[in-house]
Amino acid sequence: MLKLIHVIALSPLFVLAACGADPAPGPVEQIIVREPGAAPVASAAPVTSNPASALIAEGKAAFANCSACHAVEQGAANGAGPNLVGIVGKTAGGVAGFAYSDALKASGITWTAAELDSFIADPAARIPGTTMVAGAIADSAKRQAVIAYLESITAN
């Protein structure tokens, strides 16, 4: 009988001790199942506080490839390509101290977003005879980001 009393008296302690013994559950993986042939489920796009800032940041990152030839700092020397700070709105061939091709100087282009888009997509097709033989960006979204970045450094 004494053993039974001890077991009954100690039972609540064992039950309570067991309640907190399991660690909190970790992250749960979510798997979305859809019927074959059904349209994919759209995932939520990341929310950015300022889409323009995000585009400019994306353009700055994409411009890293261009920086092998082009500087974008006020007063920086021209490289294999001209310094592009303030390029938006300028006439093609207008950066002082850079030896442009005759084709680019004679193009009569003003660097608007549309002209930059066309030129960056395929420089040799836009201005046959240009000396910019590398740096074409085929991806339209990446070009738009680079142009947003160039516009941002023109405005500043």
Side-chain angles (χ1 to χ4, degrees), residues 3-115:
K3 284 186 180 183
L4 182 59
I5 294 174
H6 283 150
V7 170
I8 293 173
L10 295 176
S11 302
L13 289 176
F14 291 122
V15 171
L16 290 175
C19 287
D22 288 353
V28 177
E29 183 176 349
Q30 181 179 3
I31 299 173
I32 299 173
V33 179
R34 63 183 175 90
E35 293 295 321
V41 177
S43 61
V47 176
T48 59
S49 60
N50 187 343
S53 293
L55 184 63
I56 291 167
E58 186 181 321
K60 184 176 183 178
F63 190 83
N65 292 332
C66 309
S67 65
C69 297
H70 297 281
V72 288
E73 293 83 27
Q74 189 69 43
N78 293 315
N83 185 331
L84 298 180
V85 71
I87 198 69
V88 179
K90 277 191 177 176
T91 302
V95 174
F98 186 76
Y100 288 98
S101 66
D102 291 337
L104 194 108
K105 288 189 287 187
S107 70
I109 291 173
T110 297
W111 293 123
T112 63
E115 287 291 355

